[in-house]
């Protein structure tokens, strides 16, 4: 959106974790307010109308009607935790939140480099978005601790890693797929 710029490309105005999005990782999207190519966004427009607030939770009108159904469906990235992530960022501070997102981005890149058979990118992006950092680290330890992995093909490794993530997410009622609007 013309005239809309933000310095933080990891965490969007509305609470999306842009640094964990496949579109951002593939350099198709610069992230929220990251430069040319941004799509028109009603929340970015709202920010410009409200003195350029950098995060919606800093707006005196937050939460507004734009947030009534904001977590119901996904786009290229999961929208499931936007309200919760905005709340967390407000509570622990943007610097701490960004530090966690940077670590999650590094773990996601590790997963994509070592366990993506070309069909698991979305699953890993959703998993890293929705699971807590300590859970992700524990899952990676479990995956790396499997002595059978070195004998497996990439497709088998990918399937195994995806299964470990799905098993960890299941008790939390987290589905590791995008929810599309029907």
């Amino acid at each position: 959106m013309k005239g809309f710029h933000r310095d933080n490309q990891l965490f969007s105005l509305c609470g999306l974790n842009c640094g964990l999005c496949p579109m951002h990782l593939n350099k198709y999207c610069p992230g929220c307010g990251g430069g040319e190519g941004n799509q028109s966004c009603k929340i970015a427009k709202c920010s410009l109308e409200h003195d350029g607030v950098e995060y919606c939770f800093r707006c005196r009108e937050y939460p507004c009607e734009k947030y009534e159904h904001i977590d119901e469906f996904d786009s290229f990235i999961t929208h499931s935790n936007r309200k919760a992530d905005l709340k967390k960022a407000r509570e622990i501070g943007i610097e701490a939140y960004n530090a966690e997102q940077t670590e999650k981005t590094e773990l996601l890149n590790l997963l994509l480099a070592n366990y993506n058979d070309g069909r698991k990118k979305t699953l890993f992006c959703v998993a890293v978005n929705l699971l807590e950092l300590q859970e992700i680290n524990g899952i990676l330890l479990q995956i790396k601790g499997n002595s059978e992995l070195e004998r497996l093909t990439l497709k088998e490794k990918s399937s195994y890693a995806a299964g470990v993530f799905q098993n960890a997410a299941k008790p939390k009622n987290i589905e590791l797929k995008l929810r599309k609007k029907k």
Side-chain angles (χ1 to χ4, degrees):
M1 168 171 281
K2 190 172 183 168
F4 181 70
H5 177 77
R6 296 178 67 251
D7 292 327
N8 186 358
Q9 301 313 300
L10 291 176
F11 189 54
S12 76
L13 171 70
C14 67
L16 289 175
N17 291 304
C18 292
L20 303 174
C21 176
M23 294 297 283
H24 185 71
L25 291 169
N26 286 340
K27 311 278 190 250
Y28 295 122
C29 177
C32 180
E36 296 302 315
N38 288 342
Q39 299 297 313
S40 178
C41 173
K42 66 181 179 180
I43 295 178
K45 183 178 179 188
C46 184
S47 169
L48 290 173
E49 293 168 355
H50 288 88
D51 300 321
V53 295
E54 195 170 358
Y55 305 97
C56 286
F57 68 78
R58 291 185 175 162
C59 179
R60 66 188 175 285
E61 295 179 27
Y62 178 80
C64 65
E65 72 279 349
K66 290 175 186 67
Y67 281 85
E68 287 177 16
H69 302 284
I70 202 161
D71 291 341
E72 289 180 5
F73 303 103
D74 302 324
S75 59
F76 301 107
I77 185 172
T78 182
H79 293 205
S80 297
N81 284 357
R82 285 203 278 186
K83 290 179 196 173
D85 288 340
L86 283 167
K87 180 180 179 187
K88 183 176 182 177
R90 179 175 35 198
E91 289 174 356
I92 68 172
I94 290 299
E95 290 79 19
Y97 191 86
N98 280 343
E100 185 175 297
Q101 292 312 299
T102 298
E103 192 171 341
K104 280 186 165 191
T105 301
E106 291 168 6
L107 295 174
L108 177 58
N109 285 328
L110 182 141
L111 283 165
L112 295 175
N114 296 294
Y115 303 103
N116 182 26
D117 64 357
R119 301 182 55 86
K120 301 292 187 294
K121 185 178 217 169
T122 297
L123 182 139
F124 291 141
C125 287
V126 172
V128 173
N129 249 292
L130 298 180
L131 296 172
E132 294 296 324
L133 187 56
Q134 64 191 32
E135 292 171 306
I136 299 163
N137 279 315
I139 293 166
L140 281 170
L141 284 174
Q142 180 181 346
I143 292 169
K144 290 177 185 177
N146 183 342
S147 60
E148 301 291 317
L149 275 184
E150 56 192 50
R151 292 184 222 142
L152 300 178
T153 66
L154 178 57
K155 185 174 182 174
E156 293 167 330
K157 286 180 189 179
S158 181
S159 181
Y160 171 74
V164 175
F165 272 98
Q166 288 169 330
N167 288 339
K170 192 177 235 175
K172 298 174 170 297
N173 291 321
I174 296 173
E175 265 192 280
L176 300 182
K177 65 181 187 176
L178 295 176
R179 301 161 303 140
K180 296 294 181 182
K181 195 172 192 174
K182 295 180 182 185

